[in-house]
Amino acid sequence: MDVTSENTTPSRRAVISWGGAGLALGAAAAGGIAAAAQGRGDVTPVGADGAAVPFHGPHQAGIATAVQDRLHFAAFDVKTRDRAELVQLLKDWTRAAERMTAGREVGEGAYGGLPEAPPDDTGEALGLKPSRLTLTIGFGPSLFDGRFGLADRRPTALVDLPKFPGDNLDAARSGGDLCVQACADDPQVAVHAIRNLARIGFGKVAVRWSQLGFGKTSSTTPDAQTPRNLFGFKDGTRNIAGTETGRLDEFVWVSGKGEGWMDGGSYLVARRIRMHIETWDRTPLAEQEDIFGRDKAEGAPVGKGREHDEPFLKAMKPDSHVRLAHPDSNGGATILRRGYSFTDGTDGLGRLEAGLFFLAYQRDVRTGFIPVQTSLARNDALNEYTQHVGSAIFAIPPGVRNTDDWWGRDMFA
């Protein structure tokens, strides 16, 4: 029997009364009951500090949503070859995501259950606010390889990315059958969310790679101060705002005839970009500004006084980053950026392993990321200080419409 809402799901204690502790332990291990049962806590009012972001809607939260301060991104390999198990996992993940984004514990919570069974929730987010947690799922090209009867459901826009000049991709930090992007203002809330989804999926999926991020490098809020990247420059000045419905419809949301189950979704490109900050830190200021095409103080384009002044591209050097990345230099190609900075220890040579975890959402990567990155990879002066070391692409399905819906439902229809 398919379990698609809390009202149809028996509690763990009810299961015990039917068949004893052994049956309850088996059900908990399967993940379905743990992810769907009623737990403690109420949704924090949206206007309050650390509020909850609505989970249900025509589009997934975490795309046009105001960018949070922290990120935990995880890509998963699907280990089961059973289509029904994959479907049940997506249902279980959806029910858990509904609860965690509302600031609630998964299932029956982190304590008070059977002493003989692991708790339904790992507990490290107890007492914390929802912190604007959003969870966004995506499906990689490898999920459509035939294991689950989905080969003919692969969207035509879910293409394999070409190898760009300068790429030095680590296969262990690239690809994935599934991805989940957890964004929150509290890093513990984001990590708790990914941890619990991985726990629910144990035996069916395994984490392929993950990335923690801090210091958002792009904003989807028009009135907010533009964030700075680890090179100290403002990034994403003309990023698509969450309030710009026209631009979102044109450049981000999939829509129109022939789009099928992806109607209302988007496409995500994730790139792990190593930034050679020690070399950059020894570069003269004037050269830094020429490389970007903006001044470091205000973020104003060359020859202009304010950050949001319309840039005069011909005033910039031909290989400047802003000039090459601008839509006018790429046939109008426009993407929505949600990048984060990262530092992951050292590289073993006395340098920080630091950089940008680049996240780009778009309606079609063939007219979005690919032409822009092709131009940048060939000519960008910034390439001397950066290198792309991880890469993945995912189809981001539309939002979960209600408590009877689940992530990817239309894909399996």
Side-chain angles (χ1 to χ4, degrees):
M1 181 180 69
D2 287 344
V3 178
T4 55
S5 70
E6 291 183 359
N7 293 333
T8 62
T9 305
S11 70
R12 180 194 290 173
R13 291 174 180 82
V15 174
I16 296 172
S17 69
W18 297 339
L23 178 57
L25 288 169
I33 291 174
Q38 180 70 31
R40 300 180 295 273
D42 296 322
V43 178
T44 303
V46 173
D49 181 39
V53 174
F55 179 77
H56 300 109
H59 312 294
Q60 289 196 66
I63 302 174
T65 307
V67 183
Q68 303 93 320
D69 291 333
R70 302 286 181 151
L71 167 81
H72 191 191
F73 189 99
F76 295 85
D77 290 328
V78 178
K79 295 302 184 181
T80 182
R81 301 185 72 86
D82 187 312
R83 177 184 170 112
E85 279 194 340
L86 175 59
V87 167
Q88 188 59 53
L89 172 67
L90 294 173
K91 293 178 180 180
D92 295 343
W93 271 9
T94 305
R95 303 285 81 85
E98 287 172 339
R99 300 188 62 79
M100 290 189 290
T101 54
R104 296 175 176 174
E105 299 165 64
V106 176
E108 293 191 3
Y111 58 88
L114 271 177
E116 297 83 7
D120 288 346
D121 188 285
T122 52
E124 70 272 26
L126 285 171
L128 299 179
K129 296 178 180 180
S131 299
R132 296 195 298 133
L133 172 68
T134 56
L135 292 168
T136 312
I137 197 170
F139 305 128
S142 55
L143 190 68
F144 301 88
D145 59 4
R147 286 172 291 168
F148 307 107
L150 298 172
D152 62 348
R153 305 292 282 169
R154 178 173 173 171
T156 55
L158 186 62
V159 298
D160 295 316
L161 295 177
K163 180 176 174 57
F164 298 100
D167 277 1
N168 185 23
L169 303 181
D170 179 357
R173 286 186 174 271
S174 299
D177 293 329
L178 305 171
C179 76
V180 179
Q181 171 194 282
C183 298
D185 290 327
D186 186 325
Q188 188 143 317
V189 170
V191 170
H192 167 265
I194 294 295
R195 177 184 177 186
N196 277 270
L197 295 181
R199 176 188 57 78
I200 291 168
F202 183 77
K204 304 180 187 71
V205 296
V207 176
R208 179 179 178 87
W209 55 269
S210 73
Q211 182 66 59
L212 292 171
F214 67 91
K216 60 187 179 186
T217 63
S218 298
S219 174
T220 57
T221 308
D223 298 331
Q225 178 177 330
T226 305
R228 294 179 184 268
N229 57 33
L230 290 183
F231 286 156
F233 278 76
K234 291 184 177 182
D235 215 345
T237 292
R238 271 301 283 134
N239 198 31
I240 300 173
T243 54
E244 293 182 298
T245 55
R247 294 182 79 204
L248 289 169
D249 288 340
E250 183 178 1
F251 297 114
V252 179
W253 306 130
V254 175
S255 62
K257 295 180 180 179
E259 301 295 352
W261 64 268
M262 274 296 291
D263 190 20
S266 190
Y267 291 93
L268 169 65
V269 172
R271 303 280 283 187
R272 189 174 190 270
I273 305 173
R274 174 79 186 278
M275 297 168 70
H276 304 301
I277 56 177
E278 290 83 4
T279 305
W280 179 262
D281 292 344
R282 296 192 295 272
T283 301
L285 175 60
E287 185 176 345
Q288 291 183 359
E289 293 181 332
D290 282 343
I291 290 171
F292 267 96
R294 291 185 178 273
D295 73 68
K296 200 167 190 176
E298 297 294 331
V302 171
K304 303 290 184 174
R306 295 182 299 273
E307 176 193 350
H308 293 281
D309 289 344
E310 189 65 28
F312 180 51
L313 299 182
K314 291 183 179 180
M316 302 175 185
K317 292 196 171 183
D319 59 356
S320 70
H321 182 74
V322 169
R323 179 170 178 172
L324 291 172
H326 197 277
D328 288 352
S329 299
N330 296 283
T334 303
I335 56 179
L336 185 154
R337 301 175 55 182
R338 285 186 68 96
Y340 286 83
S341 297
F342 70 82
T343 56
D344 291 336
T346 70
D347 64 357
L349 300 173
R351 300 173 299 193
L352 286 173
E353 179 79 24
L356 169 67
F357 190 64
F358 180 85
L359 297 167
Y361 288 90
Q362 61 249 276
R363 182 171 178 168
D364 191 327
V365 296
R366 296 168 296 182
T367 56
F369 176 79
I370 290 178
V372 175
Q373 181 56 27
T374 298
S375 174
L376 291 172
R378 290 173 177 167
N379 303 306
D380 192 0
L382 201 55
N383 293 338
E384 182 180 348
Y385 304 91
T386 63
Q387 187 170 54
H388 290 235
V389 295
S391 179
I393 180 174
F394 299 96
I396 308 299
V400 176
R401 294 175 286 269
N402 51 53
T403 55
D404 292 326
D405 198 6
W406 42 276
W407 276 331
R409 180 177 183 172
D410 291 343
M411 183 176 67
F412 288 93

